[in-house]
Amino acid sequence: MPIGGLQHWIETQRTRPPAPTRAWYWSLAFGIATLLFGLYLGQVFPQTGHDIAPGYGAPVLAFEFAGGQADLEAIFGFYTDPEQVTRLAAMRTGNERDYLYMLLYASFLASGCIALWHELRLRALLAAAVLPVAAALCDAWENYLLFDIQAAFTLGDYSPAMASLPYPVAAKFLLLAATNVVIGAAATQIGRWWALFGTIAILAAIPTVMAIITPAAFAWALIPSAAGGWLLLLALAAVGSWQALIRKRPLVDLGTAVPVSDEPQPASPTRRVFGRRRT
């Protein structure tokens, strides 16, 4: 679609009359799939490390923030550790299946942003749908590096990929945090209770920066930090789907007024009434 045609379509969608938002159906379906597969995937990854810092929480987070051979040994153990092979196998299996998880959470968050855009008609929400897609791409790059690092560690070597690992890891979590902030900000425009939950989701994104700066102390906070915005979006998708399917109404009641275009409108002509100018 040409750029002009895309802009025209976006403007047409913004100014359409209020109607049920069926995009919530996709968001709800992807949200449930993301939740269930995420719970399953959490059991696939190794549950304990050899001697990782408590602040990392799950060993998979310690692996993502590994900065050297000593960190890998703390995660998987030394070659004399009988659990090393089990941890390595579980980590590889988890990272292989993580690609499906990337598709699910990117689809969930992107479709949620699109549904919110249909409700609130704010172009920033449509643009924000790109954020989770970019996060999933960074996640895929991260996994590619982790496979190389793990293969080298298994052979007793050091992988140069270790030097590049911090970049996709930081970008992924920052993009997901930014997505949650957008979702939270959108929720504050819907209603009083949604505003409360939206504010909580925004505040929950703050620990992401702390975790990236000091992962050994705060990496555990990344999971609840992301969960704040994701659970909020899942709740919005559930209520939005109910409104569209059962009540045949949009989640956000804009009344009968149709949103106006952002482009300046020509001034109304003036006319004289009883000798006085009225606009």
Side-chain angles (χ1 to χ4, degrees):
M1 183 184 296
I3 299 298
L6 178 60
Q7 292 178 342
H8 176 73
W9 178 81
I10 293 174
E11 188 62 28
T12 301
Q13 292 298 311
R14 289 185 66 252
T15 57
R16 66 177 174 81
T21 304
R22 295 181 176 84
W24 286 124
Y25 302 158
W26 289 103
S27 182
L28 180 61
F30 282 124
I32 294 174
T34 301
L35 176 62
L36 296 178
F37 191 76
L39 294 174
Y40 158 76
L41 191 60
Q43 302 303 311
V44 174
F45 282 109
Q47 302 302 300
T48 59
H50 174 70
D51 188 27
I52 60 176
Y56 282 115
V60 63
L61 291 175
F63 191 25
E64 292 179 9
F65 286 99
Q69 206 73 358
D71 293 331
L72 298 179
E73 292 172 347
I75 299 166
F76 299 111
F78 300 95
Y79 69 93
T80 56
D81 188 338
E83 295 295 322
Q84 187 195 72
V85 174
T86 303
R87 295 189 187 104
L88 287 168
M91 190 69 77
R92 182 172 185 85
T93 301
N95 280 327
E96 288 173 347
R97 299 177 185 179
D98 192 31
Y99 286 103
L100 176 57
Y101 189 59
M102 298 174 201
L103 292 174
L104 289 175
Y105 76 65
S107 299
F108 167 49
L109 296 174
S111 60
C113 289
I114 292 173
L116 285 169
W117 168 67
H118 276 290
E119 295 281 359
L120 296 171
R121 321 296 177 87
L122 301 175
R123 292 180 181 177
L125 289 168
L126 185 61
V130 178
L131 296 177
V133 177
L137 292 175
C138 290
D139 204 351
W141 177 21
E142 170 199 309
N143 266 22
Y144 171 78
L145 298 177
L146 291 176
F147 283 133
D148 189 87
I149 293 169
Q150 182 171 336
F153 176 78
T154 304
L155 297 174
D157 296 330
Y158 177 81
S159 171
M162 189 80 74
S164 302
L165 184 60
Y167 301 109
V169 172
K172 175 188 72 173
F173 286 119
L174 288 175
L175 287 167
L176 291 176
T179 305
N180 281 356
V181 170
V182 171
I183 293 169
T188 62
Q189 306 298 311
I190 297 177
R192 181 182 303 173
W193 286 107
W194 290 119
L196 173 61
F197 297 135
T199 302
I200 294 174
I202 293 172
L203 295 177
I206 296 176
T208 299
V209 178
M210 300 165 56
I212 292 174
I213 296 174
T214 316
F218 298 108
W220 64 270
L222 288 169
I223 295 177
S225 178
W230 293 21
L231 291 176
L232 171 60
L233 182 58
L234 186 60
L236 285 167
V239 177
S241 297
W242 171 267
Q243 290 283 84
L245 182 63
I246 305 300
R247 303 188 65 186
K248 310 298 182 184
R249 294 175 54 186
L251 175 62
V252 180
D253 185 8
L254 297 177
T256 57
V258 178
V260 298
S261 170
D262 291 338
E263 299 179 358
Q265 303 295 322
S268 301
T270 60
R271 58 190 181 95
R272 289 184 176 274
V273 179
F274 298 111
R276 300 169 60 184
R277 185 181 299 274
R278 177 175 299 177
T279 58

